Amino acid sequence: MFTQTLKQRVLGSDLVDLLTGPHGVDRYTEVVDPAWTRAEGRATVVDVRRDTPRSVTLVLAPNQAFTDTGRTFRAGQYVNLAVEIDGRRHTRCYSPANAEGTEHLELTIGQHDGGVVSTYLYERARRGMVVGLTGVGGDFVLPSPRPRRILFVSGGSGITPVMVMLRTLINERHVGEVAFVHYARTRAEANYRDELAAMPGVRVLHGYTRSAGGDLDGRFGADHLAAAMPEPDAVFVCGPTDLVDAVRELCRAELARSEEHT
């Protein structure tokens, strides 16, 4: 089996380029391994989890073409994932949930009614599957230096950029106060519940919009803010438009950083 270093040497060889012209080496190596290319960013799915009834978590191993772009992934940013469905290439933006600096990317994708890509991945994603992977973008990121008192609020799939921020802060041994309010339709649809419950130094509150049993009743309001962290130094909110608007109305505009997720 080729090591990653040996693969890269072969792909970068001028002799190989000459011998494989005019099509280029990628035309041949991708027959052996679809992720083994130097011109196109791709990733191999190395793990798949379906932890809730409406989501799928993919763990991706990016190829050298993606990692060599030189663009450093920051907590909260997104990548572009591409899949081919019935002969057509579809691309969607997803926020990884893994901490900064980790080798693999973790994408937790909520299945949306009528969503072509989310439904395809929920139903058919498997280990060994190869997907397109390009770009790192977005300015919904943790600032440096880190604020001391941080409040995170998310709804639905908006949890993924918050998870990478939380995991990154824990890896950095952040000494400030951190609170997190997450809204899901039901307890069963709340991603990362077990990990969040065990997360050191983070006050976690759950709200369920279509069932009882959460830590908070109803939708985000002044009482939820008071229960989580009344006077934060910074607020990060990611979720549906109505949630983002509610948080921004109750928190000072200069404190709130927001991103909308459907």
Side-chain angles (χ1 to χ4, degrees), residues 67-199:
T67 57
D68 277 354
T69 59
R71 303 188 66 181
T72 303
F73 168 73
R74 296 177 61 191
Q77 290 188 305
Y78 63 81
V79 296
N80 298 307
L81 182 141
V83 293
E84 186 171 300
I85 304 173
D86 297 330
R88 294 187 58 186
R89 185 180 177 87
H90 299 261
T91 302
R92 298 289 187 272
C93 298
Y94 295 113
S95 300
N98 52 282
E100 285 184 7
T102 53
E103 178 182 2
H104 292 158
L105 297 179
E106 179 181 311
L107 306 181
T108 293
I109 299 164
Q111 182 188 18
H112 300 293
D113 296 334
V116 174
V117 174
S118 65
T119 299
Y120 175 83
L121 291 173
Y122 179 79
E123 294 178 349
R124 302 184 61 179
R126 65 193 185 283
R127 292 183 182 183
M129 179 180 181
V130 174
V131 297
L133 193 65
T134 59
V136 174
D139 55 9
F140 184 69
V141 296
L142 284 171
S144 185
R146 309 303 196 207
R148 189 178 187 284
R149 289 169 50 83
I150 307 174
L151 172 62
F152 296 102
V153 183
S154 69
S157 61
I159 195 173
T160 52
V162 171
M163 285 302 300
V164 61
M165 292 180 182
L166 289 172
R167 288 168 165 174
T168 298
L169 289 172
I170 289 173
N171 286 356
E172 294 175 350
R173 301 182 184 276
H174 179 68
V175 296
E177 297 178 55
V178 179
F180 176 34
V181 178
H182 178 63
Y183 297 91
R185 302 198 306 182
T186 65
R187 178 187 175 92
E189 293 184 20
N191 284 290
Y192 298 107
R193 276 195 58 89
D194 292 343
E195 180 179 349
L196 287 167
M199 197 167 276

Side-chain angles (χ1 to χ4, degrees), residues 222-245:
D223 55 336
H224 292 194
L225 177 62
M229 183 179 286
E231 297 181 359
D233 296 326
V235 180
F236 296 84
V237 54
C238 187
T241 303
D242 58 349
L243 175 61
V244 171
D245 290 344

Side-chain angles (χ1 to χ4, degrees), residues 8-78:
Q8 186 63 14
R9 288 178 179 174
V10 171
L11 292 176
S13 166
D14 291 335
L15 176 60
V16 170
D17 249 355
L18 177 64
L19 294 175
T20 56
H23 302 297
V25 63
D26 287 356
R27 178 72 65 85
Y28 301 92
T29 57
E30 65 184 3
V31 174
V32 179
D33 183 346
W36 188 11
T37 69
R38 69 173 182 178
E40 182 179 344
R42 295 180 184 175
T44 302
V45 178
V46 296
D47 194 19
V48 180
R49 304 193 306 270
R50 292 175 175 85
D51 296 328
T52 78
R54 292 177 61 86
S55 71
V56 59
T57 297
L58 312 180
V59 179
L60 306 178
N63 68 358
Q64 198 75 21
F66 178 81
T67 57
D68 277 354
T69 59
R71 303 188 66 181
T72 303
F73 168 73
R74 296 177 61 191
Q77 290 188 305
Y78 63 81

